[in-house]
């Protein structure tokens, strides 16, 4: 059975009962899909207590973004988490913290924002300038409230992962960060809560994104000229916000010291922006 808390008082009381247990945190905005489920399962495997937070964080949405229409499906989410609870060791706790109001995370008068700096303004940040400050601010709050030992994130939002890791390092927050691989549908499209905005024809169009990334990966792995292919691809279709090959450790241009590349892209299918990426180790064939 899962435990569900919607107020700070109840959650804090529960948290105060935990003493020596290993605590895992899976921060989510709900509308759980198999990508989230993989994070929850991993956390439940590795920890005595797994806390899944469900909070659609207003601070990470820009003024013209989809905050109001972002899918809120708490009942279905709780059913999915309950199904996981049946499969894990009965001695372990699977807990949901779903604050029933914004004030539970940002009490009246709250004004602090956490900003990691220049890396929040590139790629996703160039299109969504306040987004990452909203993400780091809520993740900081969720870590403070839950006092978890390990937090789990999905690699689909690879820039988010990098920025959160930088915040953890700079602020010396005592928590481990674990990144889980991207989960894809049977056709290869990375799972995302925003996929449900796609019409049938946009769903077909969206496949350009994983197919292009696979093509770039193949060119890199076979040591062919991927740079020209990237330039030509961007020129041929204005639905790309970006398509780049970067050093995965810092989102900068690759150097001789780069040990892993990330092929990273954002593509617009209709009004929906879709993100995807592939990690490629650099020691190929060495
Ligand atoms: O990746 C997400 O769903 C969100 O950005 C997160 C990390 C839960 C913060 O609201």
């Amino acid at each position: 059975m899962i435990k569900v808390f919607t107020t700070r008082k109840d959650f804090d009381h529960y948290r105060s009962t935990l003493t020596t247990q290993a605590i895992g945190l899976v921060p989510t905005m709900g509308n759980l899909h198999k990508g989230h489920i993989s994070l929850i399962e991993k956390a439940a495997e590795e920890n005595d207590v797994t806390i899944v937070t469900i909070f659609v964080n207003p601070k990470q949405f820009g003024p013209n973004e989809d905050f109001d229409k972002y899918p809120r499906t708490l009942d279905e989410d709780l059913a999915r988490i309950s199904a996981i609870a049946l499969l894990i060791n009965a001695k372990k706790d699977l807990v949901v913290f779903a604050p029933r109001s914004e004030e539970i995370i940002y009490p009246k008068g709250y004004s602090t924002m956490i900003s990691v700096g220049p890396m929040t303004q590139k790629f996703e940040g160039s299109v969504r300038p306040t987004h990452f400050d909203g993400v780091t601010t809520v993740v900081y709050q969720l870590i403070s409230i839950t006092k978890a030992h390990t937090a789990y994130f999905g690699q689909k939002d690879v820039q988010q992962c990098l920025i959160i890791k930088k915040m953890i390092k700079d602020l010396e927050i005592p928590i481990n960060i674990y990144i889980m691989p991207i989960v894809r549908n049977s056709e290869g499209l990375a799972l995302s809560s925003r996929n449900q905005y796609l019409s049938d024809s946009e769903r077909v169009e969206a496949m350009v994104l994983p197919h292009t990334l696979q093509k770039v990966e193949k060119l890199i792995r076979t040591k062919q000229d991927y740079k020209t292919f990237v330039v030509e691809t961007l020129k041929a279709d204005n639905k790309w916000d970006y398509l780049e090959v970067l050093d995965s450790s810092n989102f900068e241009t690759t150097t001789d010291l780069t040990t892993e590349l990330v092929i990273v892209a954002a593509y617009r299918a209709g009004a929906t922006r879709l993100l995807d990426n592939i990690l490629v180790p650099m020691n190929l064939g060495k």
Side-chain angles (χ1 to χ4, degrees):
M1 264 246 300
I2 60 172
K3 296 182 169 69
V4 182
F5 301 102
T6 59
T7 68
R8 248 329 264 285
K9 191 164 162 269
D10 291 345
F11 178 79
D12 287 351
H13 173 72
Y14 166 75
R15 180 64 187 84
S16 71
T17 65
L18 304 175
T19 50
T20 57
Q21 295 92 329
I23 300 174
L25 166 65
V26 183
T28 80
M29 298 208 298
N31 196 238
L32 305 181
H33 53 63
K34 283 186 187 156
H36 299 109
I37 302 300
S38 75
L39 304 180
I40 300 170
E41 286 175 347
K42 184 72 180 172
E45 189 187 306
E46 292 188 340
N47 296 277
D48 303 312
V49 175
T50 296
I51 302 169
V52 181
T53 60
I54 299 181
F55 178 62
V56 183
N57 171 35
K59 291 197 191 298
Q60 69 188 76
F61 291 80
N64 299 316
E65 293 182 2
D66 55 345
F67 176 69
D68 289 335
K69 79 165 188 179
Y70 197 86
R72 289 156 171 88
T73 52
L74 186 60
D75 290 347
E76 287 90 333
D77 294 343
L78 295 180
R80 299 203 77 167
I81 300 169
S82 299
I84 300 174
L86 297 175
L87 304 174
I88 64 175
N89 182 332
K91 290 202 189 103
K92 295 192 175 195
D93 268 6
L94 189 45
V95 175
V96 177
F97 178 43
R100 68 156 74 119
S101 72
E102 277 171 33
E103 288 71 35
I104 291 175
I105 299 296
Y106 305 118
K108 201 164 176 289
Y110 181 99
S111 63
T112 301
M113 291 296 289
I114 296 178
S115 179
V116 163
M119 66 166 68
T120 67
Q121 296 305 305
K122 328 194 253 197
F123 303 103
E124 278 309 284
S126 67
V127 184
R128 310 181 70 192
T130 57
H131 172 66
F132 287 120
D133 292 357
V135 170
T136 42
T137 301
V138 78
V139 169
Y140 184 89
Q141 286 295 87
L142 295 172
I143 292 173
S144 305
I145 293 169
T146 60
K147 299 177 201 71
H149 305 116
T150 309
Y152 297 78
F153 297 91
Q155 191 215 309
K156 189 180 85 52
D157 297 302
V158 65
Q159 190 177 359
Q160 165 173 286
C161 294
L162 197 68
I163 288 169
I164 290 170
K165 281 186 187 162
K166 184 78 167 64
M167 168 181 77
I168 300 299
K169 181 164 178 276
D170 287 354
L171 297 181
E172 300 185 27
I173 302 170
I175 191 164
N176 301 309
I177 300 295
Y178 196 101
I179 310 296
M180 287 292 284
I182 297 179
V183 178
R184 297 177 182 280
N185 71 11
S186 56
E187 276 125 41
L189 188 66
L191 296 190
S192 161
S193 300
R194 291 190 170 98
N195 289 356
Q196 61 196 272
Y197 300 155
L198 299 170
S199 66
D200 287 350
S201 64
E202 287 165 356
R203 217 164 254 279
V204 174
E205 212 183 303
M207 292 309 296
V208 168
L209 178 56
H211 289 160
T212 305
L213 294 190
Q214 283 160 19
K215 170 82 181 166
V216 177
E217 180 188 17
K218 193 163 173 216
L219 292 172
I220 294 171
R221 285 187 185 270
T222 54
K223 302 197 190 320
Q224 296 182 65
D225 176 16
Y226 68 83
K227 290 185 181 158
T228 309
F229 175 76
V230 167
V231 171
E232 295 298 319
T233 303
L234 289 170
K235 229 194 277 170
D237 185 349
N238 64 7
K239 297 193 201 94
W240 293 99
D241 274 346
Y242 53 85
L243 167 64
E244 294 249 7
V245 178
L246 303 165
D247 185 320
S248 72
S249 70
N250 53 15
F251 258 54
E252 303 279 353
T253 316
T254 58
T255 68
D256 290 348
L257 299 177
T258 302
T259 56
E260 186 184 56
L261 301 175
V262 61
I263 314 163
V264 67
Y267 187 78
R268 288 174 197 268
T272 308
R273 290 184 72 249
L274 300 170
L275 309 187
D276 201 349
N277 67 84
I278 296 181
L279 296 171
V280 190
M282 273 297 275
N283 58 353
L284 297 165
K286 277 190 195 159

